Amino acid sequence: MRYIKPLQLFRDLMNTTQNQRGRLLGLDVGDKYVGLALSDFDNKIASPFSVLVRKKTNICLMASDFESLISKYSLKGFVIGIPFDKHRLSADAVQVKLFIDLLCRTKMLEGVKYTYWNECFTSKNVELLLKPLNLNHPSLSKTMLDKFAAVGILQVSSMACFLTVDIMYHSAVILLFSC
């Protein structure tokens, strides 16, 4: 796995032909589960996908699951939610980085690009959206939360990057025609 900055991940995808362009997988890494969201082929719309059970002993199994997903869904990169705090590295952020480090050490996902995206309040926003549904089963509620948190991470990152690329393009056009 290879870390690249968020904007570079989206630029790399945009610089490919429609046939070569792949999808992105959003990851919401938690203590017990990893929520997954899948983008469309234009990487503009994220949809809830699945939840993987996370245990310290199953990292190779998880890497194998990711290999299968990469092949089956033409995945080109991962957008991984991480809680940013400008003053310190939180325990949750350390947990996410440790998980990604363990995935990298398996060497099963060589060539996969990944980036981090600020997930602050993503789970809390999803909790507020799901609360009126009165999901009484705890595991159903948790898996729904994790999937939709992954959607939030992937959707916001793609919107922000496409907006940045669009602004840069329009600024270049304005400069070109103003000279």
Side-chain angles (χ1 to χ4, degrees), residues 5-57:
K5 292 182 178 182
L7 194 54
Q8 189 60 50
L9 177 62
F10 284 89
R11 281 185 182 149
D12 290 353
L13 287 172
M14 296 309 297
N15 289 335
T16 59
T17 66
Q18 190 73 21
N19 292 340
Q20 295 173 322
R21 191 169 300 153
R23 303 161 94 173
L24 294 173
L25 189 70
L27 282 73
D28 178 45
V29 179
D31 291 330
K32 297 178 184 174
Y33 302 102
V34 178
L36 304 177
L38 190 61
S39 75
D40 64 345
F41 278 99
D42 290 324
N43 295 298
K44 292 182 179 180
I45 300 171
S47 300
F49 182 68
S50 185
V51 173
L52 298 178
V53 176
R54 181 177 174 215
K55 295 180 184 172
K56 291 180 182 178
T57 58

Coordinates of all heavy atoms in Angstrom, one line a residue, residues 5-57:
K5 N -1.4 12.0 -1.0 CA -2.3 13.0 -0.5 C -3.7 12.9 -1.1 O -3.7 12.5 -2.3 CB -1.7 14.4 -0.7 CG -0.4 14.6 0.2 CD 0.2 16.0 0.0 CE 1.3 16.1 0.9 NZ 1.9 17.5 0.8
P6 N -4.7 13.4 -0.5 CA -6.1 13.2 -1.0 C -6.2 13.8 -2.4 O -6.8 13.1 -3.3 CB -7.0 14.0 0.0 CG -6.2 13.9 1.3 CD -4.7 13.9 0.9
L7 N -5.8 15.0 -2.6 CA -6.0 15.6 -3.9 C -5.2 14.9 -5.0 O -5.7 14.7 -6.1 CB -5.5 17.1 -3.9 CG -5.9 18.0 -5.0 CD1 -7.4 17.9 -5.3 CD2 -5.5 19.4 -4.8
Q8 N -4.0 14.3 -4.7 CA -3.3 13.5 -5.7 C -4.0 12.3 -6.0 O -4.0 11.9 -7.2 CB -1.9 13.2 -5.1 CG -1.0 12.6 -6.2 CD -0.8 13.5 -7.4 OE1 -0.4 14.7 -7.2 NE2 -1.0 13.0 -8.6
L9 N -4.7 11.6 -5.1 CA -5.4 10.4 -5.4 C -6.5 10.7 -6.4 O -6.7 10.0 -7.4 CB -6.0 9.8 -4.1 CG -6.9 8.6 -4.2 CD1 -6.2 7.4 -4.8 CD2 -7.6 8.2 -2.9
F10 N -7.2 11.8 -6.2 CA -8.3 12.2 -7.1 C -7.8 12.7 -8.5 O -8.4 12.4 -9.5 CB -9.2 13.3 -6.5 CG -10.1 12.7 -5.4 CD1 -9.7 12.6 -4.1 CD2 -11.4 12.1 -5.8 CE1 -10.6 12.0 -3.2 CE2 -12.2 11.6 -4.9 CZ -11.8 11.5 -3.5
R11 N -6.7 13.4 -8.5 CA -6.0 13.8 -9.7 C -5.6 12.6 -10.5 O -5.8 12.5 -11.7 CB -4.8 14.7 -9.5 CG -5.2 16.1 -9.2 CD -3.9 16.9 -9.0 NE -4.2 18.3 -8.7 CZ -3.4 19.0 -8.0 NH1 -2.2 18.5 -7.6 NH2 -3.7 20.2 -7.7
D12 N -5.0 11.6 -9.9 CA -4.6 10.4 -10.5 C -5.8 9.7 -11.2 O -5.7 9.2 -12.3 CB -3.9 9.4 -9.6 CG -2.5 9.9 -9.1 OD1 -2.0 10.9 -9.7 OD2 -2.0 9.2 -8.2
L13 N -6.9 9.6 -10.5 CA -8.1 9.0 -11.0 C -8.7 9.8 -12.2 O -9.1 9.2 -13.2 CB -9.2 8.9 -10.0 CG -9.0 7.8 -8.9 CD1 -10.0 7.9 -7.8 CD2 -9.0 6.4 -9.6
M14 N -8.6 11.1 -12.1 CA -9.2 12.0 -13.2 C -8.3 12.0 -14.4 O -8.8 12.2 -15.5 CB -9.3 13.4 -12.7 CG -10.3 13.6 -11.5 SD -11.9 12.8 -11.9 CE -12.5 13.8 -13.3
N15 N -7.0 11.6 -14.3 CA -6.1 11.6 -15.4 C -6.1 10.3 -16.1 O -5.2 10.0 -16.9 CB -4.7 12.0 -14.9 CG -4.5 13.4 -14.6 OD1 -5.3 14.3 -15.1 ND2 -3.6 13.7 -13.7
T16 N -7.0 9.4 -15.8 CA -7.2 8.1 -16.5 C -8.4 8.2 -17.5 O -9.3 9.0 -17.3 CB -7.4 7.0 -15.5 OG1 -8.5 7.2 -14.8 CG2 -6.2 6.8 -14.6
T17 N -8.4 7.3 -18.4 CA -9.5 7.2 -19.3 C -10.7 6.6 -18.5 O -10.5 6.0 -17.5 CB -9.2 6.4 -20.5 OG1 -9.0 5.0 -20.1 CG2 -8.0 6.9 -21.3
Q18 N -11.9 6.8 -19.1 CA -13.1 6.3 -18.4 C -13.0 4.8 -18.2 O -13.4 4.3 -17.2 CB -14.3 6.6 -19.3 CG -15.6 6.3 -18.6 CD -16.0 7.3 -17.5 OE1 -15.5 8.4 -17.5 NE2 -16.8 6.9 -16.6
N19 N -12.4 4.1 -19.2 CA -12.3 2.6 -19.1 C -11.3 2.2 -18.0 O -11.4 1.1 -17.4 CB -11.9 2.0 -20.4 CG -13.0 2.1 -21.4 OD1 -14.1 2.3 -21.1 ND2 -12.6 2.0 -22.7
Q20 N -10.2 3.0 -17.8 CA -9.2 2.7 -16.8 C -9.6 3.2 -15.4 O -9.1 2.7 -14.4 CB -7.9 3.4 -17.1 CG -7.3 2.9 -18.4 CD -6.1 3.7 -18.8 OE1 -6.0 4.9 -18.6 NE2 -5.1 3.0 -19.3
R21 N -10.5 4.1 -15.3 CA -10.9 4.7 -14.0 C -11.5 3.7 -13.1 O -12.3 2.9 -13.5 CB -11.8 5.9 -14.2 CG -12.0 6.7 -12.9 CD -12.8 8.0 -13.2 NE -12.0 8.8 -14.2 CZ -12.6 9.7 -15.0 NH1 -13.9 9.9 -14.9 NH2 -11.9 10.3 -15.8
G22 N -11.0 3.7 -11.9 CA -11.6 2.7 -10.9 C -12.4 3.4 -9.9 O -12.6 4.6 -9.9
R23 N -12.8 2.7 -8.9 CA -13.6 3.2 -7.8 C -12.8 3.4 -6.6 O -11.7 2.8 -6.5 CB -14.7 2.2 -7.6 CG -15.6 2.0 -8.8 CD -16.4 0.8 -8.7 NE -17.7 1.1 -8.2 CZ -18.7 0.2 -8.1 NH1 -18.5 -1.0 -8.4 NH2 -19.9 0.6 -7.7
L24 N -13.3 4.0 -5.6 CA -12.7 4.2 -4.3 C -13.5 3.5 -3.2 O -14.7 3.3 -3.4 CB -12.6 5.7 -3.9 CG -11.7 6.5 -4.8 CD1 -11.8 8.0 -4.5 CD2 -10.3 6.1 -4.7
L25 N -12.8 3.1 -2.2 CA -13.4 2.4 -1.1 C -13.2 3.3 0.1 O -12.0 3.6 0.4 CB -12.8 1.0 -0.9 CG -13.5 0.1 0.2 CD1 -14.9 -0.3 -0.3 CD2 -12.7 -1.1 0.5
G26 N -14.2 3.7 0.8 CA -14.1 4.5 2.0 C -14.1 3.5 3.2 O -14.8 2.5 3.3
L27 N -13.2 3.8 4.2 CA -13.1 3.0 5.4 C -13.3 3.8 6.6 O -12.7 4.8 6.8 CB -11.7 2.3 5.4 CG -11.4 1.1 4.6 CD1 -11.2 1.5 3.1 CD2 -10.1 0.4 5.1
D28 N -14.2 3.3 7.5 CA -14.4 3.9 8.8 C -13.9 2.8 9.8 O -14.6 1.8 10.0 CB -15.9 4.2 9.1 CG -16.1 4.7 10.5 OD1 -15.3 5.6 10.9 OD2 -17.0 4.3 11.1
V29 N -12.7 3.0 10.3 CA -12.0 2.0 11.1 C -12.4 2.2 12.6 O -12.2 3.3 13.1 CB -10.5 2.1 11.0 CG1 -9.8 1.0 11.8 CG2 -10.1 1.9 9.5
G30 N -13.0 1.2 13.2 CA -13.3 1.2 14.6 C -12.7 0.1 15.4 O -11.9 -0.6 14.8
D31 N -13.0 0.0 16.6 CA -12.4 -1.0 17.5 C -12.8 -2.4 17.1 O -12.0 -3.3 17.0 CB -12.9 -0.8 19.0 CG -12.3 0.4 19.6 OD1 -11.2 0.8 19.2 OD2 -13.0 1.0 20.5
K32 N -14.1 -2.6 16.7 CA -14.6 -3.9 16.4 C -14.9 -4.1 14.9 O -15.0 -5.3 14.5 CB -15.9 -4.2 17.2 CG -15.6 -4.2 18.7 CD -16.9 -4.4 19.5 CE -16.6 -4.3 21.0 NZ -17.9 -4.4 21.7
Y33 N -15.2 -3.1 14.2 CA -15.7 -3.2 12.8 C -15.0 -2.1 12.0 O -14.5 -1.1 12.4 CB -17.2 -2.9 12.7 CG -18.0 -3.8 13.5 CD1 -18.6 -3.4 14.7 CD2 -18.3 -5.1 13.1 CE1 -19.4 -4.3 15.5 CE2 -19.1 -6.0 13.9 CZ -19.7 -5.5 15.1 OH -20.4 -6.4 15.8
V34 N -14.9 -2.5 10.7 CA -14.5 -1.5 9.7 C -15.6 -1.3 8.7 O -16.0 -2.2 8.0 CB -13.2 -2.0 8.9 CG1 -12.8 -1.0 7.8 CG2 -12.1 -2.3 9.9
G35 N -16.2 -0.1 8.7 CA -17.3 0.2 7.8 C -16.8 0.5 6.4 O -15.7 1.1 6.3
L36 N -17.5 0.0 5.4 CA -17.0 0.2 4.0 C -18.1 0.9 3.2 O -19.3 0.6 3.3 CB -16.7 -1.1 3.4 CG -15.7 -2.0 4.1 CD1 -15.6 -3.3 3.3 CD2 -14.3 -1.3 4.2
A37 N -17.6 1.9 2.4 CA -18.5 2.5 1.4 C -17.8 2.4 0.1 O -16.6 2.5 -0.1 CB -18.7 4.0 1.8
L38 N -18.6 2.3 -1.0 CA -18.1 2.2 -2.3 C -18.5 3.3 -3.2 O -19.7 3.7 -3.2 CB -18.7 0.9 -2.9 CG -18.1 0.3 -4.2 CD1 -16.6 0.0 -4.1 CD2 -18.9 -0.9 -4.6
S39 N -17.6 3.9 -4.0 CA -18.0 5.0 -4.9 C -18.5 4.4 -6.2 O -18.3 3.3 -6.5 CB -16.7 5.9 -5.1 OG -15.8 5.3 -6.0
D40 N -19.1 5.3 -7.0 CA -19.5 5.0 -8.3 C -18.2 5.1 -9.2 O -17.1 5.5 -8.7 CB -20.6 5.8 -8.9 CG -20.2 7.3 -8.9 OD1 -19.2 7.7 -8.4 OD2 -21.0 8.1 -9.6
F41 N -18.3 4.8 -10.5 CA -17.1 4.9 -11.3 C -16.6 6.3 -11.6 O -15.5 6.5 -12.0 CB -17.3 4.1 -12.6 CG -17.1 2.6 -12.5 CD1 -18.2 1.8 -12.3 CD2 -15.8 2.1 -12.4 CE1 -18.0 0.4 -12.1 CE2 -15.6 0.7 -12.3 CZ -16.7 -0.1 -12.1
D42 N -17.5 7.3 -11.4 CA -17.1 8.7 -11.5 C -16.5 9.2 -10.2 O -16.0 10.3 -10.2 CB -18.2 9.5 -12.0 CG -18.6 9.3 -13.4 OD1 -17.7 9.0 -14.2 OD2 -19.8 9.3 -13.7
N43 N -16.6 8.4 -9.2 CA -16.1 8.8 -7.8 C -16.7 10.0 -7.3 O -16.1 10.8 -6.6 CB -14.6 8.9 -7.8 CG -13.9 7.6 -8.1 OD1 -14.1 6.6 -7.3 ND2 -13.2 7.5 -9.2
K44 N -18.0 10.2 -7.6 CA -18.8 11.3 -7.1 C -19.9 10.9 -6.1 O -20.3 11.8 -5.4 CB -19.4 12.1 -8.3 CG -18.4 12.7 -9.2 CD -19.0 13.5 -10.3 CE -17.9 14.1 -11.2 NZ -18.5 14.9 -12.3
I45 N -20.3 9.7 -6.1 CA -21.4 9.2 -5.2 C -20.9 8.0 -4.4 O -20.4 7.1 -5.0 CB -22.6 8.9 -6.0 CG1 -23.1 10.1 -6.8 CG2 -23.7 8.3 -5.1 CD1 -24.2 9.8 -7.8
A46 N -21.0 8.1 -3.1 CA -20.6 7.0 -2.2 C -21.9 6.3 -1.8 O -22.9 7.0 -1.5 CB -19.8 7.6 -1.1
S47 N -21.8 5.0 -1.7 CA -22.9 4.2 -1.2 C -22.5 3.3 -0.1 O -21.3 2.8 -0.1 CB -23.5 3.3 -2.3 OG -24.0 4.2 -3.4
P48 N -23.3 3.0 0.9 CA -22.9 2.1 2.0 C -22.7 0.7 1.3 O -23.4 0.3 0.4 CB -24.1 2.1 2.9 CG -25.2 2.7 2.2 CD -24.7 3.5 1.1
F49 N -21.7 0.0 1.8 CA -21.3 -1.3 1.2 C -21.4 -2.4 2.1 O -22.2 -3.3 2.0 CB -20.0 -1.2 0.5 CG -19.6 -2.4 -0.2 CD1 -20.3 -2.8 -1.4 CD2 -18.5 -3.2 0.2 CE1 -19.9 -3.9 -2.0 CE2 -18.2 -4.3 -0.4 CZ -18.9 -4.7 -1.6
S50 N -20.5 -2.4 3.1 CA -20.4 -3.6 4.0 C -19.7 -3.2 5.3 O -19.2 -2.1 5.4 CB -19.6 -4.7 3.3 OG -19.6 -5.9 4.0
V51 N -19.6 -4.2 6.2 CA -18.8 -4.0 7.4 C -18.0 -5.3 7.6 O -18.5 -6.4 7.4 CB -19.8 -3.9 8.6 CG1 -19.0 -3.9 9.9 CG2 -20.6 -2.6 8.5
L52 N -16.7 -5.1 7.9 CA -15.8 -6.2 8.2 C -15.6 -6.3 9.7 O -15.4 -5.2 10.3 CB -14.5 -6.1 7.5 CG -14.5 -6.0 5.9 CD1 -13.1 -5.8 5.4 CD2 -15.1 -7.3 5.4
V53 N -15.6 -7.5 10.2 CA -15.3 -7.6 11.7 C -13.8 -7.5 11.8 O -13.0 -8.1 11.1 CB -15.8 -9.0 12.2 CG1 -15.4 -9.2 13.6 CG2 -17.3 -9.1 12.0
R54 N -13.4 -6.7 12.8 CA -12.0 -6.4 13.0 C -11.5 -7.1 14.3 O -12.0 -6.9 15.4 CB -11.8 -4.9 13.1 CG -10.3 -4.6 13.3 CD -10.1 -3.1 13.3 NE -8.7 -2.8 13.7 CZ -8.3 -1.8 14.4 NH1 -9.2 -1.0 14.8 NH2 -7.1 -1.7 14.7
K55 N -10.5 -8.0 14.2 CA -9.8 -8.6 15.3 C -8.3 -8.5 15.1 O -7.9 -8.4 13.9 CB -10.2 -10.0 15.4 CG -11.7 -10.3 15.8 CD -12.0 -11.7 15.9 CE -13.5 -12.0 16.1 NZ -13.9 -13.3 16.0
K56 N -7.6 -8.5 16.1 CA -6.1 -8.4 16.0 C -5.6 -9.7 15.3 O -4.5 -9.6 14.6 CB -5.5 -8.3 17.4 CG -5.7 -7.0 18.0 CD -5.1 -6.9 19.4 CE -5.4 -5.6 20.0 NZ -4.9 -5.4 21.3
T57 N -6.3 -10.8 15.3 CA -5.8 -12.0 14.8 C -6.2 -12.2 13.3 O -5.8 -13.2 12.7 CB -6.3 -13.2 15.6 OG1 -7.7 -13.2 15.6 CG2 -5.7 -13.2 17.0

